[in-house]
Structure formats: C-alpha cells, structure tokens
C-alpha cells in the first residue's frame, strides 16, 4: 500500500496552492479536489499538472466539485438533464487524463431510490469511464443512499464486476456503519481508500490522532489483497498546525513498514 493525501485537507485554500503544502507534508501522491468550473479547464489543469510535477507529486484521483448535485442531475426523473450530466461528467475524464489520475469519486443519490434504478445509472457512468481507462468509484458517504452497507451489497449483487468503490473511514464512522462489513462487501472492488481517525468526541481526525484501530484496519485491507493508496482525507478544521499532517504521515508510514 502507498500513502497519499487529498488537497481538500487544506480547503478553502486554492487548489493550486495545495501542491507545495502536499510536498512540505512529505507526500508524493495526492487526490485533487476540483472546486470550481474554471478548475476543469484544460489550461488550468495543465498548469496544475506542471506545478505538481515540479514537486514530484503523482495525482491518484479526482474529486468532482459537483458531488453535491448528483442527486439532482443524475437521479431525478428529468431525462434531458440526466443526458446533459453524462456529457458534463466526461469533462472529469479529460481532467484525469491531463492530471494523470486513474480514479473518479462519486457520491450519488441522497434520496431513496430502488437499487435497480441506481445500478442502471451508475453502470453507464462506470462503463463510460472504463472506456477511458478510468475507474468510476462509488463512495460510501454519510446521509447518501450508498452510505449504508446493505444498499452497497444490493448494488454489488446487481452490478457484479461493473462497479468500483472508494472506501471512506470517516463517512462509515459518522453513518454508524461497520467498516469490517464494508470491506467484506466491497472486497476486491475497492480501488481507493480515504483514511482518517476519530475519537469519542471527534468524528474526523488526522490518522494517528484518535482512537481508531488504524493498524487493524490496514491489516484487514491487506488480507483481502488491497495494495492501492491510503488517501488521508480530513477537513482543515480537524488540525491546528501543518506539522500535524507530517506527523500523521509518519504514523501511517510506521504502520506500513511494520506490517
């Protein structure tokens, strides 16, 4: 397994300004959270890629800023809007190609929807990304339809090998879901992991700053054959000093070296 970090850890700092912060924290891999329409433009992405290259940073994944709208644009009954949304999301394919990323994160629906209908919409997104050499990763997100392990199990059963997952620790914790069950359901289709920590009082912390059994969690991932990236993803309010991010990376590095 390898370590990376989301530029969202510094939000609302400008996306391009996170490159140096990522390097200073000792990371050489990152998830890029595209936070605005202008950040999807080829000129911006090319300049960002050049900046990241200058710091020796590989881009692993892309997080669309439109995640908040996916219920409205994909899962409403208005077919024309959905067709436009499929076309719009192809821009994220292009963004991945420019940045060198392989994975796109998807939050999906927020309202109840039959698994068969969800699978139909997701399958098209998955296959269009796959045709571009990318994995379109359904993420377990609190208060979203796919925040529940039971619903993910339904989707997995319907889609079989036509699904990919981003497993998010903090989202599972805040949703009250069992991570072991999430791992069992997602299995070999886990393509990316968003890692964090938590305590009785704080639902989201830097890895190593809470009470979560990080080592045990990583061992469970190893046991199912996961050898991808552990992307630290927390919020800027979840730490006080930049040095804590570096300390967290060292904590994770020590675990990987041990196991």
């Amino acid at each position: 397994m390898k370590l990376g970090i989301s530029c969202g850890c510094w939000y609302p700092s400008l996306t391009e300004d996170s490159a140096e912060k990522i390097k200073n924290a000792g990371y050489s891999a990152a998830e890029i959270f595209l936070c605005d329409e202008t950040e999807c433009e080829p000129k911006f992405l090319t300049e960002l890629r050049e900046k990241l290259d200058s710091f020796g940073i590989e881009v692993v994944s892309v997080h669309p800023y439109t995640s908040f709208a996916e219920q409205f644009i994909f899962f409403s009954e208005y077919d024309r809007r959905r067709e436009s949304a499929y076309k719009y999301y192809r821009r994220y394919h292009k963004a991945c190609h420019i940045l060198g990323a392989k994975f796109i994160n998807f939050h999906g629906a927020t309202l109840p929807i039959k698994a068969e209908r969800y699978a139909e919409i997701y399958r098209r997104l998955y296959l269009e990304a796959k045709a571009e050499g990318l994995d379109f990763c359904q993420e377990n997100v609190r208060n979203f339809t796919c925040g529940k392990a039971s619903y993910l199990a339904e989707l997995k059963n319907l889609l079989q090998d036509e699904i990919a997952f981003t497993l998010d620790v903090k989202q599972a914790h805040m949703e009250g879901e069992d991570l072991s069950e999430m791992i069992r359901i997602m299995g070999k289709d886990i393509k990316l992991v968003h890692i964090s920590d938590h305590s009785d009082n704080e639902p989201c912390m830097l890895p190593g700053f809470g009470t979560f059994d990080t080592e045990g969690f990583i061992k469970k991932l190893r046991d199912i054959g996961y050898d991808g990236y552990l992307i630290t993803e927390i919020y800027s309010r979840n730490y006080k000093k930049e040095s804590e991010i570096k300390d967290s990376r060292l904590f994770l590095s020590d675990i990987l070296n041990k196991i």
Side-chain angles (χ1 to χ4, degrees):
M1 282 177 252
K2 293 154 281 191
L3 301 179
I5 192 165
S6 169
C7 69
C9 294
W10 292 276
Y11 182 88
S13 293
L14 292 174
T15 301
E16 63 269 29
D17 291 343
S18 66
E20 188 170 1
K21 298 176 187 294
I22 292 167
K23 179 63 176 178
N24 290 340
Y27 284 95
S28 58
E31 175 170 291
I32 299 300
F33 201 128
L34 298 172
C35 295
D36 178 69
E37 172 66 15
T38 61
E39 296 180 9
C40 298
E41 296 295 332
K43 183 177 184 296
F44 176 89
L45 292 165
T46 299
E47 292 175 352
L48 178 59
R49 176 67 269 173
E50 290 171 353
K51 191 170 188 178
L52 290 162
D53 281 345
S54 73
F55 290 112
I57 298 168
E58 171 193 6
V59 179
V60 176
S61 50
V62 162
H63 199 303
Y65 81 96
T66 45
S67 291
F68 75 95
E70 287 164 352
Q71 167 68 45
F72 179 71
I73 61 178
F74 285 113
F75 295 96
S76 79
E77 296 303 314
Y78 202 72
D79 294 340
R80 180 183 294 162
R81 185 192 308 136
R82 186 180 314 106
E83 286 303 315
S84 294
Y86 285 125
K87 182 178 179 180
Y88 185 85
Y89 264 53
R90 292 175 199 137
R91 298 188 72 189
Y92 294 122
H93 301 169
K94 294 179 181 178
C96 285
H97 290 321
I98 293 171
L99 293 173
K102 296 297 183 185
F103 309 112
I104 303 170
N105 293 294
F106 184 64
H107 287 191
T110 56
L111 299 176
I113 179 172
K114 289 185 177 179
E116 290 80 5
R117 179 61 174 150
Y118 197 111
E120 177 187 353
I121 293 167
Y122 172 84
R123 179 184 280 112
R124 179 169 168 183
L125 288 161
Y126 173 87
L127 291 176
E128 287 191 2
K130 204 68 176 175
E132 294 290 328
L134 306 169
D135 277 312
F136 197 80
C137 301
Q138 176 64 63
E139 185 174 352
N140 60 295
V141 181
R142 175 178 62 115
N143 295 331
F144 278 67
T145 307
C146 286
K148 296 292 187 184
S150 56
Y151 194 85
L152 292 174
E154 284 189 75
L155 281 183
K156 180 76 178 291
N157 184 56
L158 288 166
L159 291 163
Q160 297 296 315
D161 292 330
E162 295 178 335
I163 191 167
F165 294 107
T166 294
L167 174 60
D168 191 298
V169 172
K170 66 182 174 300
Q171 298 291 349
H173 173 69
M174 290 189 285
E175 186 71 20
E177 290 290 310
D178 185 338
L179 268 172
S180 295
E181 180 66 1
M182 286 280 189
I183 292 172
R184 186 192 68 78
I185 290 167
M186 294 180 180
K188 65 179 177 61
D189 296 309
I190 298 175
K191 303 298 181 180
L192 196 64
V193 173
H194 286 163
I195 195 165
S196 58
D197 207 329
H198 52 259
S199 68
D200 290 341
N201 300 318
E202 296 291 340
C204 181
M205 307 171 76
L206 282 165
F209 283 74
T211 57
F212 177 56
D213 181 11
T214 303
E215 183 174 339
F217 170 70
I218 292 174
K219 285 179 178 178
K220 288 177 182 177
L221 291 173
R222 180 198 59 189
D223 290 345
I224 63 162
Y226 182 75
D227 63 353
Y229 282 89
L230 302 172
I231 302 289
T232 293
E233 189 193 61
I234 48 95
Y235 308 105
S236 57
R237 65 177 179 272
N238 297 135
Y239 60 91
K240 296 178 181 178
K241 299 181 296 183
E242 293 274 336
S243 60
E244 293 175 359
I245 299 176
K246 183 180 290 188
D247 291 341
S248 177
R249 179 184 59 78
L250 293 171
F251 167 78
L252 291 171
S253 293
D254 285 345
I255 291 176
L256 293 185
N257 289 334
K258 187 197 308 182
I259 66 172

